[in-house]
Amino acid sequence: MGHLSTNIWIDCDPGLDDFFAIKLAINSVRVNIVGISTVGGNCSVYQATQNAISAISPFNNKIPIYMGSERSYSGENFRYALDIHGRYGLPVKQNTTNLKSFNIDAQRGMKLFFDKSSSPITIVALGPLTNIAKFIKANSESMKNVERIIVMGGAISVPGNITKYAEFNIWNDPKASKIVFSSEIPIYLVGLDVTNYIHASRQDLNKMGKLSCEIMEPWFKQNKPGAVFHFHDSLAVLTVIKPNYFTFETKRITVETSGKSIGQTKLSQTGSLVNVATVLSHGLTKKYLIKNMLSI
Ligand code: RIB
Ligand code: CA
């Protein structure tokens, strides 16, 4: 681990944008992936785990992967997004026959690595916040080594993407989101307010590497002409690699946990203090992410 690199734990539901976010982290000397936990969301947690294994291979089989929750904090089934990500949670099934095995219990994995860590860990949460909420509730003492939680999720000043009120990750587990936002840990929220504006189009395919093309060409074929691929999760990772690309503002945010606006993240005087990403350098960000896809 370089002296300038940040220890991160990625909790994710790969999912196509999670897949590229993991690749982005692996390719950067600014982050050191301590471990990965998976959660259902874009697809089943088993499929998400297979996709996470394929994302770290063949580069680095040393990263431990722990499978987490298949259901939300309150025990409900996640509502998948296979129409967007593909029937395997990705547009094409990745070859996982010769890949390392994974570990079963995300809660045990987080406790193992958080307790023994000699330096602070940043959690980068890219899916529903179920695993993180369960861990905070059951292992508050182990959170002492967690310096912040970066969350890809929410929509404060823009409409949602799964309902007009809510963003997908928060909507899939609003109760877990409320628990995480109201914890003592500093939260950095990278929501649709910034991620809506960074996407790749069909024309960008000629700037992508072999694997990126193998995955993205079918994705564009499976979607209607003019569809664009939103990087979403990569932006949460990029806040660690290029913090100067982002501006955060501290706001009081509450999460709706019932009713027609369930999953909405809205400003409220009684809400929890959350650092919300409000501005980013669009040109620099897109250039960095497309360049990264050239190396994949
Ligand atoms: O709303 C976008 C988020 O929901 C991303 O994390 C995507 O992978 C899905 O999980
Ligand atoms: Ca995700």
Side-chain angles (χ1 to χ4, degrees), residues 13 17-18 42 126-127 169 233:
D13 62 335
D17 59 320
D18 307 68
N42 287 320
L126 307 177
N169 288 335
D233 293 336

Side-chain angles (χ1 to χ4, degrees), residues 24-74:
L24 180 69
I26 286 174
N27 287 346
S28 171
V29 294
R30 293 292 174 94
V31 294
N32 169 49
I33 306 177
V34 172
I36 293 175
S37 50
T38 58
V39 60
N42 287 320
C43 56
S44 72
V45 69
Y46 180 76
Q47 185 63 67
T49 307
Q50 293 302 304
N51 295 339
I53 292 171
S54 65
I56 67 166
S57 305
F59 304 102
N60 185 338
N61 273 335
K62 291 193 294 293
I63 300 173
I65 293 183
Y66 288 85
M67 188 161 76
S69 306
E70 172 56 15
R71 286 182 185 72
S72 73
Y73 192 84
S74 39

Side-chain angles (χ1 to χ4, degrees), residues 277-292:
T278 51
V279 179
L280 89 162
S281 309
H282 292 196
L284 290 172
T285 300
K286 169 137 184 200
K287 191 166 163 233
Y288 192 99
L289 296 180
I290 291 289
K291 186 163 163 272
N292 182 61

